[in-house]
């Protein structure tokens, strides 16, 4: 069996119907400049009572569940069927079920394997680059929390299959499109994590009602404190859960709404600056212009000239 970068590796056992396919990708200097590159893509179906992994990999990827391994890249390992176990240097042994996305980190010892009673279906993609380093640095993803319960998604499986298809064709620019698909998968994982964490129905309902009120009252002087009072919630609690859910404070959210409405009125109407300022509940055009320039970087009049 050959392990050259541009060869797809297959292993078929006709007795157990085990299948494995994976590829290690070539990377150019231009690809590196993109900020994220894909190093490997693969899939294997492990039947109950089968060996794991199915095939031998190049030395830097070789893996034995008992001894584990350390990679020099990130990997997203998606379990879509069956169950098993995961452990790492920063995470004690945890059960893994179908619908779990495992994020592996470079330089971090880890091990994972299917339960012999169930086997599992596994997709993986390896990648590295400044784009993902930046997301980890900013705590979008944590080495202490490598398991993400995103559920079994045909859409996510389809993204892995798209990466496989583009990798097999190796057309010009394929690294750029498959690495962007990886960022799509990461975004989906983060989105599902956020919404699973913030699953308190009562709090989400309050936040949604608050956003509706803020939009309805965009032309009034209602403050975030008054919005919280109208919803029957203490302001400190309201501000905390609003920012946890949306990523911005209620006051920042209101400011964004006013800016969006101001841009809409500047480009879609003939009303003068003073009329727009009045409709958005500013004391005068000067106050509105100062607010707009602070948020957008140019005055309302300049914004109107540039967009007409």
């Amino acid at each position: 069996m050959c392990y050259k970068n541009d060869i797809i590796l297959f292993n078929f056992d006709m007795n157990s119907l085990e299948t494995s396919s994976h590829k290690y990708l070539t990377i150019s200097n231009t690809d590196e400049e993109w900020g994220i590159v894909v190093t490997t893509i693969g899939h294997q179906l492990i039947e109950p009572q089968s060996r794991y992994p199915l095939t031998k990999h190049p030395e830097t990827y070789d893996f034995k569940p008992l001894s584990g391994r350390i990679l020099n890249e990130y990997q997203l390992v998606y379990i879509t069927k069956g169950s098993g176990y995961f452990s790492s240097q920063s995470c004690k042994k945890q059960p893994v079920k179908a619908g779990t996305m495992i994020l592996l980190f470079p330089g971090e010892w880890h091990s994972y394997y299917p339960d012999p009673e169930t086997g599992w279906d596994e997709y993986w993609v390896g990648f590295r680059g400044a784009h993902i380093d930046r997301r980890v640095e900013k705590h979008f993803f944590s080495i202490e929390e490598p398991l993400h319960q995103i559920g079994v998604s045909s859409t996510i499986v389809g993204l892995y299959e798209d990466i496989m298809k583009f990798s097999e064709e190796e057309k010009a620019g394929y690294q750029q499109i498959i690495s962007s698909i990886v960022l799509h998968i990461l975004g989906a994982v983060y989105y599902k994590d956020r919404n699973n964490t913030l699953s308190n129905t009562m709090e989400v309902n309050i936040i949604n009602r608050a956003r509706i009120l803020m939009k309805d009252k965009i032309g009034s002087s209602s403050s975030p404190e008054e919005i919280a009072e109208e919803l029957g919630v203490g302001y400190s609690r309201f501000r905390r859960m609003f920012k946890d859910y949306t990523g911005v404070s209620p006051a920042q959210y209101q400011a964004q709404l006013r800016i969006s409405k101001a841009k809409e009125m500047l480009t879609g109407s003939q009303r003068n600056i003073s009329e727009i300022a009045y409709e958005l509940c500013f004391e005068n055009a000067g106050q509105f212009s100062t607010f707009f320039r602070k948020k957008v970087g140019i005055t309302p009049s300049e914004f109107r000239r540039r967009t007409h």
Side-chain angles (χ1 to χ4, degrees), residues 9-284:
L9 307 178
F10 293 94
N11 182 74
F12 294 99
D13 184 329
M14 298 306 294
N15 294 321
S16 64
L17 299 179
E18 299 168 347
T19 64
S20 174
S21 63
H22 49 280
K23 186 172 185 179
Y24 298 94
L25 309 180
T26 56
I27 298 166
S28 70
N29 290 335
T30 300
D31 297 332
E32 296 279 7
E33 291 172 358
W34 186 251
I36 179 172
V37 293
V38 177
T39 55
T40 177
I41 178 69
H43 167 250
Q44 56 183 346
L45 173 61
I46 309 298
E47 295 291 340
Q49 309 302 333
S50 298
R51 69 188 186 280
Y52 182 80
L54 293 179
T55 57
K56 184 175 175 59
H57 298 268
E59 184 177 351
T60 54
Y61 291 92
D62 200 20
F63 180 61
K64 294 180 177 62
L66 287 178
S67 57
R69 68 177 173 187
I70 298 175
L71 293 172
N72 60 3
E73 63 185 42
Y74 300 90
Q75 284 195 8
L76 282 168
V77 182
Y78 188 35
I79 308 304
T80 60
K81 180 182 178 183
S83 61
Y85 301 92
F86 171 86
S87 58
S88 71
Q89 183 178 334
S90 303
C91 177
K92 66 180 182 180
K93 187 174 181 181
Q94 302 282 334
V96 171
K97 62 182 180 180
T100 299
M101 181 73 77
I102 306 171
L103 177 55
L104 306 177
F105 292 80
E108 172 85 347
W109 177 88
H110 63 266
S111 179
Y112 55 91
Y113 54 91
D115 186 323
E117 296 301 314
T118 65
W120 71 19
D121 200 356
E122 165 193 320
Y123 292 82
W124 75 86
V125 60
F127 52 100
R128 55 181 167 78
H131 285 342
I132 178 60
D133 289 341
R134 177 74 170 170
R135 285 160 174 80
V136 173
E137 178 188 335
K138 294 299 181 180
H139 308 294
F140 287 98
F141 300 99
S142 167
I143 202 168
E144 289 80 23
E145 297 180 353
L147 302 183
H148 305 269
Q149 309 303 329
I150 68 170
V152 178
S153 166
S154 60
T155 300
I156 300 296
V157 170
L159 293 173
Y160 277 92
E161 291 175 346
D162 285 344
I163 295 173
M164 291 181 190
K165 180 189 71 173
F166 285 117
S167 299
E168 289 168 8
E169 295 171 352
E170 286 192 339
K171 293 182 178 179
Y174 86 98
Q175 265 288 349
Q176 283 66 38
I177 194 167
I178 63 176
S179 59
S180 297
I181 295 173
V182 169
L183 291 177
H184 185 156
I185 296 173
L186 282 168
V189 171
Y190 182 76
Y191 173 84
K192 289 178 180 293
D193 264 354
R194 290 285 293 161
N195 283 276
N196 288 339
T197 302
L198 300 166
S199 58
N200 185 313
T201 304
M202 183 186 72
E203 289 193 355
V204 172
N205 183 51
I206 289 171
I207 293 163
N208 287 334
R209 286 167 59 201
R211 290 192 288 194
I212 291 170
L213 282 173
M214 290 177 183
K215 290 173 183 177
D216 289 344
K217 295 175 179 289
I218 196 170
S220 77
S221 59
S222 294
S223 67
E225 290 83 357
E226 290 169 332
I227 295 289
E229 184 178 357
E230 188 169 343
L231 293 170
V233 185
Y235 180 67
S236 294
R237 179 189 172 207
F238 172 66
R239 187 183 187 284
R240 175 190 54 75
M241 65 186 184
F242 192 97
K243 188 170 184 178
D244 284 347
Y245 191 82
T246 66
V248 296
S249 69
Q252 289 172 316
Y253 186 82
Q254 281 187 310
Q256 290 174 0
L257 288 177
R258 295 175 93 185
I259 287 295
S260 295
K261 185 65 175 178
K263 288 179 177 179
E264 178 187 322
M265 296 169 76
L266 288 165
T267 57
S269 78
Q270 298 301 316
R271 279 170 282 193
N272 62 43
I273 303 302
S274 294
E275 290 172 328
I276 294 174
Y278 176 77
E279 288 200 33
L280 293 176
C281 209
F282 288 93
E283 291 182 6
N284 51 55

